[in-house]
Amino acid sequence: MLTTQQTEFKMMDNGTETLTDSRSSSSADLKTLSEMDLRKPLTEIVDLRLKHPLENTWTLWYLENDRSKNWEDMQNEITSFDMVEDFWSLYNHIKPPSEIRVGSDYSLFKKGIQPMWEDDANKFGGRWVINMGRGSKVELDKLWLDVLLILIGEAFDHTEEVCGAVINLRGKSNKISIWTANGHNELAVMEIGLKLRDLLVLPPHQLQYQLHKDSMSKPGSVVKAVYCV
């Protein structure tokens, strides 16, 4: 799993991988080269070999509050990525959550899943919610990055249940939520919640799980949690 303190690979200052084995003519390397489409530019082949694929393709969304639009039209699909290096390239070229407008959201979801309750992948699910109040900008940005790395690093035993994550920037309180597909799969929901609590080093009872159907029926009000860790 990827964390902000430790990654599974080392990057040099110029953005290329530090190779731990300098042998260039091993049988494995030759086999890989023989299977490549040599009609492609050499730089493209080399770049592909140096990249680290993710288990899933992920899509970043951005919502900017605009009262002249309905909620769905405010969602903007930014880009998708399926490589570790492409994630970092994206992350380093966008504003961190602490610098975007109040009322806005960032969402990161598996490709093909929209960040909305009504999506087929979400409608029977729910979300683990972390209410952050008005903490420091550094704390906000670090927690969001840690959540992203946990997601794309597939840190859960029930990773197929994970749909994505959302950060809501609001005037009174900021909130991060991790969405899962089936809110009634207690085993998977609890495993995900406990792993989140441990990896994010959260105090007990700060994570609460809400069903999307409850959130839809009580917009703007306090939604009762069905699980808490």
Side-chain angles (χ1 to χ4, degrees):
M1 187 205 72
L2 306 171
T3 65
T4 52
Q5 292 79 24
Q6 180 179 1
T7 56
E8 294 178 348
F9 58 92
K10 297 180 180 180
M11 304 296 291
M12 296 174 65
D13 290 341
N14 63 3
T16 59
E17 183 185 9
T18 302
L19 300 178
T20 57
D21 187 348
S22 61
R23 294 175 295 174
S24 60
S25 59
S26 68
S27 58
D29 285 344
L30 290 174
K31 183 176 185 294
T32 301
L33 284 171
S34 69
E35 294 172 346
M36 288 181 175
D37 184 354
L38 296 180
R39 292 170 297 178
K40 295 180 180 180
L42 181 59
T43 53
E44 183 178 340
I45 295 173
V46 172
D47 287 346
L48 181 62
R49 294 183 64 215
L50 290 177
K51 287 189 174 183
H52 298 74
L54 299 169
E55 291 293 328
N56 285 285
T57 301
W58 297 85
T59 301
L60 180 70
W61 299 76
Y62 175 65
L63 179 147
E64 186 168 5
N65 190 25
D66 184 343
R67 294 184 179 182
S68 66
K69 299 179 180 180
N70 62 45
W71 186 87
E72 187 172 347
D73 290 338
M74 289 190 292
Q75 287 282 1
N76 298 282
E77 183 176 343
I78 305 303
T79 190
S80 298
F81 58 88
D82 60 3
M83 297 283 181
V84 172
E85 290 78 5
D86 294 338
F87 163 75
W88 285 115
S89 178
L90 170 64
Y91 186 83
N92 290 327
H93 284 85
I94 61 173
K95 292 181 179 180
S98 63
E99 294 183 14
I100 64 176
R101 293 179 57 182
V102 172
S104 301
D105 301 342
Y106 272 141
S107 303
L108 186 76
F109 277 73
K110 289 176 179 174
K111 186 175 178 61
I113 303 177
Q114 294 182 307
M116 56 186 65
W117 297 323
E118 298 84 0
D119 190 279
D120 287 343
N122 297 323
K123 61 184 180 181
F124 299 115
R127 58 183 180 174
W128 281 108
V129 178
I130 309 169
N131 287 300
M132 301 189 62
R134 296 296 298 172
S136 71
K137 293 183 177 181
V138 172
E139 181 184 2
L140 177 72
D141 294 341
K142 180 183 182 303
L143 186 59
W144 175 239
L145 176 57
D146 283 343
V147 168
L148 298 184
L149 293 175
I150 288 170
L151 259 61
I152 68 173
E154 311 289 342
F156 309 105
D157 292 338
H158 297 275
T159 186
E160 74 285 350
E161 284 287 321
V162 176
C163 298
V166 181
I167 183 167
N168 308 115
L169 287 305
R170 301 296 183 261
K172 295 182 179 180
S173 180
N174 299 315
K175 179 169 60 182
I176 293 176
S177 54
I178 296 83
W179 292 30
T180 72
N182 183 356
H184 298 288
N185 185 346
E186 183 175 356
L187 178 65
V189 169
M190 290 302 295
E191 186 273 329
I192 292 168
L194 290 169
K195 182 63 70 70
L196 278 170
R197 187 189 67 183
D198 292 344
L199 292 175
L200 298 175
V201 196
L202 298 173
H205 311 303
Q206 186 170 345
L207 269 171
Q208 296 188 341
Y209 190 84
Q210 302 169 352
L211 296 173
H212 292 324
K213 67 179 183 65
D214 293 339
S215 300
M216 286 188 280
S217 64
K218 300 178 181 179
S221 61
V222 177
V223 178
K224 182 179 179 180
V226 292
Y227 307 115
C228 183
V229 296

